[in-house]
Amino acid sequence: MDAVTPSIQSVVSAGTGVKSVCPYCGVGCGLVAWQDGNRVKIKGDRTHPANFGLLCAKGTTLPDSLEEGRLLYPMMREHLDAPFERATWDQALTRITRHIQKTLAARGPQALCLYGSGQFHTEDYYVASKLFKGFLGTNNFDSNSRMCMSSAVSGYQRSLGSDGPPCSYEDLALAETFLLIGSNTAECHPIIFNRILAHQRRHPDRVRLITADPRRTRTAQQSDLWLGIQPGTDVALLNGMARICLERGWVDQEFVRHHTEGFDKLCQVLEAYAPARVADVCGIEVEQLIRATEWFARSPGSLSLWSMGLNQSTQGVAKVQSLINLHLLTGQISRPGAGPFSLTGQPNAMGGREVGGLANLLPGYRSVLSAQDRQFMEVFWKLPPGSIASQHGLSATEIIEGMESGDIQFLWIAATNPAVSMPDLERSRRAFRQSTLTVVQDAYFPLETADYAHILLPAAQWSEKTGCMTNSERRVSLSEQVRRPPGEAREDWAIFADVGCRLGFGDAFGFSHSAEVFAEFVQTTRDRVCDMHTLSHTRLKTEGPQQWPCIRTDGPGQPRLYTDRVFPTPSGRAQFHGWQCVPPAEQPDAEFPLTLTTGRLYGHWHTLTRTGKIAKLRQMHPGPFLEVHPEDACRLDIEDGEIIRVRSRRGEARIPAKLTSNIRTGTVFMPFHWGNLWGEGMSANTLTHGEIDTISLQPELKACAVRVEKIV
Ligand SMILES: Nc1nc2c(c(=O)[nH]1)N[C@H]1C(S)=C(S)[C@@H](COP(=O)(O)OP(=O)(O)OC[C@H]3O[C@@H](n4cnc5c(=O)[nH]c(N)nc54)[C@H](O)[C@@H]3O)O[C@H]1N2
Ligand SMILES: Nc1nc2c(c(=O)[nH]1)N[C@H]1C(S)=C(S)[C@@H](COP(=O)(O)OP(=O)(O)OC[C@H]3O[C@@H](n4cnc5c(=O)[nH]c(N)nc54)[C@H](O)[C@@H]3O)O[C@H]1N2
Ligand code: SF4
Ligand SMILES: [Mo]
């Protein structure tokens, strides 16, 4: 067995502690945590409905990441080539406040920008949103969720009328067909995959897994059918499946007639997706396509789980909507065990959407483009009418453009490491160097992004602060503080609130505890799809985690959305929207003949600030590599383990080749975890490009053209 085979580790029993949540992925596993001498100890929370006590290798080793390499004090420097010097909080925040005031006077609010993270607690997000979108009057507050979930958000909004995954983890034990599309669930949402496999073991004759992925991932290897599609051909695949449903009479006529709109237009689009052509475009067999469709359409319950293979694409929204079309067409939605279910990447990307943590959103699933929504928030925040800007703020990749043009004069980066995670890194790094003033607020130092900071602010992280996170099934959990933050580190929300007070908005930012922040935030959700106005830290502590919508104070929230088949669209009907399949922005050609896709490994978390400090996980995945099919390797005359050069139009990497027939020929794969701190030439993002989906503005991190060269 390969070293990276996900091993789900059972918990050991231990003493009492506080309830906490794993700060890694969007599964949102519950933890019990306590302090033992100087160490934080954890076990899985047996009562938490996400994991019932189980944890994966990342969760289990989490406490080992807390000590080494922490940023303990604020640090400052005059310019990027000077060394950092220790500063007091007062000095650092005074400099920030003065710079904001100066920028407001000289250039106006649109020159200010905050780039945040799906790793914020809901309370951090809320205070940041209130400060930037409300009191500073700029919607330039985007987050790394732009690179993660924004295509899912737009897809849900356009097809179902609102953001919000309609399903529940309960459905993992009720569905019979699982379509895992663009998701390496086994490595990236391991506890969910474990639940699916357990369900299949109980019902081996009925439960089937289909994986659609250009790589035969660990997820695909444990599936009943692998659709090894050509990268970027998901819309063709899903249209082909829809077309087969039409041809074979596998359409839920009743559902389509009474609960949807746009069926005729969809049928027109599907005309071009005859099964033989689709199989050809996707590079799979017609029989596989038909079998997958039959399993999906004719099962008593089909659940699709998707993640970055759909979202990170110039067709991200098209892919998501095409998947939802298939659910609507077959009536595989609005009932237990069925539905389109996006697996959220980061632990609180869901909370970010609720609080307005993308440049187009406001708290309570509101939009900056809606006059009514802006007005609601202005009244709520006691701001004069017109305070909230009526345009989208800058999205993640637009921030890079804003730095290049000089439109941004102040950049605040918190809980994300864009000097590793942004596409087209050389360009991004050049842009960051042009900043007038950049603040980086993180738990660790050194850090790749710190190279571009004038001011470093030490943040308290998991176990050092109390706050809420919402997981993929819309369940809000309270993660309680276990120990004091090291050095002078402070909670993110408290830093934003302090700057709010220093700017003269003391009445609005005088929060004394995150519970107060949460209490204010939930009022913005009243009567919204994400209604959680009945929740409070106290209730979550006494009654445990709750799913929204949760409108009763004396009972649990709703496990599923739209079970009455009424959707939050003007007509109450879900919307079909047919898309044509368009290839990825950068196509392979004679010069760059291979398609590079990028992604994750089981034991590592993103840019390695935590998992890179844990010996066991480093041993599991010692370094980056390029997966190459043996046929391509033979043509290129490269051997397994040979250090090769991978080049794109934007940059290059030098890493070992890993020969495997678990990838399509013509496609290569590289994990994106390693940044410059680990050495030059290890970063996948020196190769990727910043082309985006024009609706969701999410970059296409899953496909670019490269060539692989032998190093002589
Ligand atoms: N171990 C681990 N788990 C994590 C994370 C982590 O860093 N490490 N991060 C979390 C976060 S923030 C996220 S967003 C999620 C991501 O979770 P996933 O999306 O499951 O992970 P990725 O490896 O980014 O990509 C998934 C798969 O998409 C495939 N793919 C590439 N192109 C296409 C395509 O065109 N179509 C289809 N159908 N598939 C394609 C890739 O081959 C890859 O196997 O994981 C979360 N969980
Ligand atoms: N090529 C390629 N690039 C990708 C992707 C891909 O699939 N391929 N995926 C994209 C996706 S989906 C994502 S989500 C991003 C992730 O990319 P990043 O967000 O850049 O990755 P992280 O390493 O999770 O960065 C989180 C940072 O927050 C710090 N931190 C942890 N806790 C706290 C806290 O409580 N407060 C503060 N202030 N800081 C804290 C950590 O030390 C770390 O530096 O990468 C994106 N980039
Ligand atoms: S599955 Fe995700 S949330 Fe659960 S322990 Fe692993 S990393 Fe943490
Ligand atoms: Mo993500």
Side-chain angles (χ1 to χ4, degrees):
M1 213 158 56
D2 192 307
V4 297
T5 299
S7 57
I8 306 297
Q9 312 196 359
S10 276
V11 294
V12 290
S13 54
T16 51
V18 298
K19 296 288 174 107
S20 174
V21 186
C22 176
Y24 290 124
C25 83
V27 179
C29 294
L31 305 172
V32 179
W34 66 99
Q35 193 152 11
D36 181 1
N38 283 335
R39 306 262 316 148
V40 174
K41 296 250 169 92
I42 56 164
K43 61 175 181 168
D45 179 359
R46 287 178 204 279
T47 66
H48 197 288
N51 58 319
F52 299 105
L54 295 180
L55 297 175
C56 76
K58 291 181 296 302
T60 317
T61 52
L62 174 62
D64 297 338
S65 67
L66 295 177
E67 307 303 330
E68 192 190 322
R70 291 296 299 268
L71 176 60
L72 297 173
Y73 313 102
M75 300 211 272
M76 298 208 288
R77 57 183 171 186
E78 270 316 302
H79 56 87
L80 296 185
D81 298 315
F84 281 111
E85 283 174 26
R86 184 170 165 179
T88 64
W89 273 104
D90 186 54
Q91 286 167 326
L93 298 189
T94 301
R95 185 166 166 202
I96 292 171
T97 309
R98 289 213 181 116
H99 187 83
I100 291 176
Q101 283 162 334
K102 206 175 73 187
T103 307
L104 279 173
R107 301 285 293 268
Q110 306 318 327
L112 305 171
C113 182
L114 171 62
Y115 184 53
S117 167
Q119 293 168 68
F120 277 159
H121 282 170
T122 298
E123 294 80 355
D124 303 325
Y125 264 124
Y126 178 74
V127 178
S129 236
K130 186 175 180 182
L131 179 62
F132 273 75
K133 295 183 178 176
F135 286 76
L136 291 173
T138 173
N139 294 323
N140 292 344
F141 166 26
D142 211 47
S143 71
N144 57 4
S145 292
R146 182 67 64 186
M147 300 201 277
C148 187
M149 299 311 294
S150 63
S151 295
V153 173
S154 300
Y156 279 134
Q157 285 169 341
R158 295 164 70 99
S159 293
L160 303 181
S162 169
D163 186 17
C167 310
S168 235
Y169 292 163
E170 281 172 22
D171 295 317
L172 300 171
L174 298 170
E176 299 204 352
T177 296
F178 292 84
L179 175 59
L180 308 159
I181 179 162
S183 161
N184 186 1
T185 325
E187 294 199 57
C188 294
H189 296 93
I191 296 299
I192 285 183
F193 197 65
N194 187 257
R195 289 177 68 161
I196 297 173
L197 291 185
H199 173 50
Q200 189 177 42
R201 274 195 297 276
R202 283 192 295 273
H203 308 284
D205 47 331
R206 292 194 270 130
V207 174
R208 292 182 180 117
L209 275 59
I210 308 164
T211 294
D213 192 307
R215 301 162 56 220
R216 192 161 168 273
T217 55
R218 292 195 179 271
T219 311
Q221 287 167 32
Q222 296 174 81
S223 297
D224 301 278
L225 179 61
W226 172 45
L227 303 172
I229 59 169
Q230 184 81 30
T233 58
D234 301 82
V235 170
L237 175 76
L238 295 162
N239 282 350
M241 291 173 76
R243 163 86 178 243
I244 293 171
C245 291
L246 293 182
E247 286 174 357
R248 307 216 168 186
W250 295 338
V251 172
D252 185 336
Q253 301 287 355
E254 198 272 337
F255 188 90
V256 170
R257 197 169 318 123
H258 297 292
H259 307 294
T260 68
E261 272 170 359
F263 178 67
D264 293 340
K265 269 196 175 158
L266 174 73
C267 292
Q268 283 165 21
V269 171
L270 297 182
E271 275 169 23
Y273 293 85
R277 178 181 166 246
V278 168
D280 188 47
V281 170
C282 297
I284 58 173
E285 304 294 326
V286 180
E287 293 71 41
Q288 294 180 314
L289 182 65
I290 293 170
R291 196 177 327 140
T293 311
E294 182 164 10
W295 288 359
F296 185 94
R298 306 191 72 191
S299 129
S302 290
L303 201 62
S304 58
L305 302 178
W306 88 86
S307 205
M308 295 309 113
L310 296 199
N311 293 347
Q312 288 173 341
S313 160
T314 43
Q315 279 219 297
V317 178
K319 289 178 175 193
V320 171
Q321 288 204 277
S322 302
L323 178 62
I324 297 176
N325 287 342
L326 193 60
H327 280 275
L328 297 174
L329 197 64
T330 53
Q332 295 284 9
I333 189 168
S334 296
R335 56 190 169 78
F341 198 178
S342 55
L343 295 180
T344 323
Q346 297 175 91
N348 198 29
M350 287 284 294
R353 285 139 75 174
E354 292 149 16
V355 173
L358 288 170
N360 50 318
L361 302 179
L362 288 171
Y365 274 12
R366 290 184 175 80
S367 164
V368 300
L369 296 184
S370 155
Q372 202 187 339
D373 289 354
R374 288 195 307 274
Q375 196 197 359
F376 176 91
M377 289 312 305
E378 284 160 356
V379 172
F380 186 80
W381 282 333
K382 303 192 181 70
L383 287 167
S387 296
I388 299 175
S390 57
Q391 274 114 37
H392 280 188
L394 299 176
S395 70
T397 53
E398 288 167 345
I399 293 174
I400 300 300
E401 292 161 20
M403 305 295 294
E404 288 170 344
S405 64
D407 287 347
I408 297 179
Q409 289 291 307
F410 171 70
L411 176 62
W412 194 339
I413 298 172
T416 178
N417 190 6
V420 183
S421 56
M422 277 272 180
D424 196 354
L425 265 189
E426 289 311 325
R427 175 178 172 186
S428 300
R429 292 190 190 121
R430 274 197 305 278
F432 286 135
R433 277 203 72 87
Q434 291 177 31
S435 174
T436 318
L437 190 82
T438 297
V439 179
V440 170
Q441 177 170 314
D442 203 279
Y444 294 98
F445 183 80
L447 181 81
E448 287 86 351
T449 305
D451 289 354
Y452 307 93
H454 301 87
I455 303 178
L456 294 175
L457 299 179
Q461 61 159 328
W462 171 81
S463 80
E464 297 156 6
K465 57 185 197 176
T466 294
C468 294
M469 298 204 279
T470 309
N471 71 7
S472 291
E473 64 159 357
R474 312 184 317 281
R475 189 178 297 278
V476 184
S477 297
L478 180 69
S479 189
E480 290 183 63
Q481 183 177 14
V482 191
R483 63 167 199 166
R484 290 166 56 84
E488 296 179 3
R490 295 177 69 184
E491 293 151 283
D492 293 290
W493 70 263
I495 303 172
F496 297 127
D498 197 338
V499 171
C501 292
R502 284 161 187 266
L503 285 165
F505 314 128
D507 289 348
F509 291 93
F511 302 107
S512 62
H513 189 275
S514 59
E516 282 173 23
V517 178
F518 191 72
E520 181 177 310
F521 156 64
V522 294
Q523 294 314 315
T524 70
T525 67
R526 196 184 276 270
D527 300 326
R528 307 293 295 172
V529 170
C530 61
D531 195 334
M532 58 175 100
H533 78 273
T534 62
L535 299 185
S536 64
H537 279 201
T538 310
R539 181 170 178 196
L540 292 167
K541 199 172 159 141
T542 50
E543 294 176 31
Q546 300 293 327
Q547 275 177 299
W548 61 250
C550 188
I551 46 179
R552 291 169 48 185
T553 46
D554 59 348
Q558 243 172 262
R560 293 175 195 86
L561 302 179
Y562 322 132
T563 43
D564 55 1
R565 302 177 161 204
V566 177
F567 295 89
T569 55
S571 62
R573 290 161 178 259
Q575 306 291 309
F576 281 115
H577 190 113
W579 288 87
Q580 299 293 346
C581 185
V582 177
E586 193 179 53
Q587 284 301 294
D589 56 18
E591 205 185 345
F592 298 97
L594 299 165
T595 299
L596 170 76
T597 191
T598 65
R600 295 162 167 78
L601 304 173
Y602 170 62
H604 275 318
W605 179 258
H606 295 162
T607 72
L608 305 179
T609 60
R610 286 187 179 124
T611 55
K613 296 185 171 70
I614 297 169
K616 186 179 155 194
L617 302 178
R618 276 203 316 267
Q619 274 157 17
M620 197 184 269
H621 316 285
F625 52 82
L626 187 78
E627 281 184 1
V628 187
H629 193 279
E631 283 174 26
D632 290 326
C634 182
R635 230 184 343 267
L636 294 159
D637 183 30
I638 56 177
E639 284 172 27
D640 190 48
E642 181 177 336
I643 311 277
I644 40 105
R645 187 186 291 119
V646 197
R647 262 192 218 273
S648 78
R649 288 187 175 80
R650 296 153 293 277
E652 64 170 66
R654 285 169 178 240
I655 47 172
K658 181 173 169 184
L659 270 49
T660 170
S661 43
N662 287 332
I663 189 159
R664 289 185 60 90
T665 53
T667 303
V668 290
F669 167 81
M670 181 175 172
F672 84 100
H673 300 293
W674 284 266
N676 266 357
L677 278 179
W678 301 86
E680 289 289 323
M682 291 188 167
S683 299
N685 280 324
T686 52
L687 304 163
T688 55
H689 58 66
E691 295 297 320
I692 55 171
D693 179 299
T694 53
I695 297 167
S696 67
L697 313 184
Q698 179 157 353
E700 186 157 71
L701 292 158
K702 287 283 180 273
C704 70
V706 295
R707 81 169 169 260
V708 173
E709 294 168 352
K710 224 178 153 61
I711 299 178
V712 246

